[in-house]
Amino acid sequence: MGDSTPADQYLDAAVGLLQRVRAEESGNIAAAGRLLADTVAAGGRLFAFGAGHSSLAAQDVVYRAGGLALMNLLVVPGVVGVDVMPATLGSALERVDGLAAAVLDSSPLRAGDVLVIISLSGRNALPVEMALNARALGVRVIGVTSVAYAGETSSRHSSGTYLKDHCDIVLDSKIAVGDAELTHDLVPAPFAPASTVVTAALLQSVMATAAVELAGRGIEPPLLRSGNVDGGHDWNGRVLEEYGDRIFYRH
């Protein structure tokens, strides 16, 4: 790396991953965007779920200025963020069989909807079971995961399968097993994770695709605007009113 700083090295690694995603996942991104547009046009609803830090990318596309107003967060208590105490409880809950089924049974998800499931490793019981059960309900599933984990780790679901095995469309984040981009002679463990950067960019590229796809069909994409620009609140009020029956984060 020569005289490059750790910051340079990390940013170079992140850019490299984004370039790989652009080159290798463009077809899947386009398909995912079309699926969202198809679902919006057909009156379906959109949901996103992620556990632990994977939830950050899910939250990034919900109630977001410049984003689709119809994207809802599917919440599993205790696994959405690091606010749960102790933080390790969230990791434990990801491995609990039956939790996803209970969550889906009490959620508004129904046939014809789309669920985006984000799981870096794709190996834990929660995301695998959620994908399995959602598809059984007639929900289309977009999985965002690192496919490399399936080749280098063991599944923690009773079926021995991974999230990628139960999706209509898979978006591969290309993140290496362990999610740490840097090493250093004086640092005892690999460090500097890039999964949040890459996964968020993947999903925003899907949202952009969906918005333009809808517009191309003559359907105004239900986008939110920043409340910090003049007219933003009025704009959002109109969108939220028009699509209120498909938005669940207001209640």
Side-chain angles (χ1 to χ4, degrees):
M1 291 281 186
D3 295 326
S4 63
T5 67
D8 291 336
Q9 294 166 26
Y10 176 77
L11 292 170
D12 286 345
V15 168
L17 284 162
L18 291 171
Q19 289 174 331
R20 276 194 67 194
V21 164
R22 180 181 180 181
E24 299 171 20
E25 294 300 304
S26 59
N28 292 327
I29 290 169
R34 285 194 301 270
L35 177 55
L36 293 191
D38 290 344
T39 305
V40 171
R45 295 90 58 80
L46 311 177
F47 296 84
F49 166 77
H53 287 95
S54 290
S55 73
L56 296 175
Q59 294 177 58
D60 192 55
V61 294
V62 175
Y63 189 53
R64 185 66 193 263
L68 289 175
L70 302 194
M71 185 60 69
N72 299 279
L73 189 67
L74 182 65
V75 176
V76 179
V79 305
V80 172
V82 293
D83 56 337
V84 62
M85 292 295 176
T88 50
L89 176 60
S91 299
L93 288 171
E94 286 187 69
R95 305 178 191 182
V96 173
D97 290 324
L99 180 57
V103 168
L104 288 172
D105 285 346
S106 60
S107 80
L109 271 159
R110 66 188 185 197
D113 292 347
V114 167
L115 174 59
V116 179
I117 301 177
I118 306 157
S119 174
L120 178 61
S121 73
R123 66 190 295 228
N124 286 310
L126 182 56
V128 174
E129 182 186 326
M130 187 166 286
L132 267 166
N133 288 33
R135 292 181 89 189
L137 292 172
V139 173
R140 303 292 292 277
V141 174
I142 298 171
V144 188
T145 187
S146 170
V147 172
Y149 275 82
E152 300 180 41
T153 68
S154 57
S155 170
R156 289 178 175 149
H157 186 256
S158 56
S159 66
T161 60
Y162 299 78
L163 170 61
K164 72 173 185 63
D165 300 319
H166 307 288
C167 300
D168 295 278
I169 300 169
V170 175
L171 301 174
D172 183 4
S173 63
K174 317 295 181 183
I175 299 294
V177 173
D179 192 18
E181 291 300 317
L182 302 184
T183 58
H184 190 282
D185 292 344
L186 300 179
V187 180
F191 58 103
S195 60
T196 304
V197 172
V198 177
T199 304
L202 256 174
L203 281 179
Q204 291 296 355
S205 67
V206 171
M207 298 300 144
T209 303
V212 175
E213 181 78 20
L214 284 166
R217 302 181 191 184
I219 301 170
E220 181 186 321
L223 296 169
L224 295 173
R225 300 189 70 172
S226 171
N228 297 314
V229 300
D230 291 342
H233 284 299
D234 291 339
W235 173 283
N236 292 343
R238 176 180 64 83
V239 173
L240 295 173
E241 180 68 27
E242 182 176 349
Y243 289 94
D245 60 333
R246 296 154 76 180
I247 294 171
F248 299 94
Y249 50 77
R250 303 178 71 196
H251 307 296

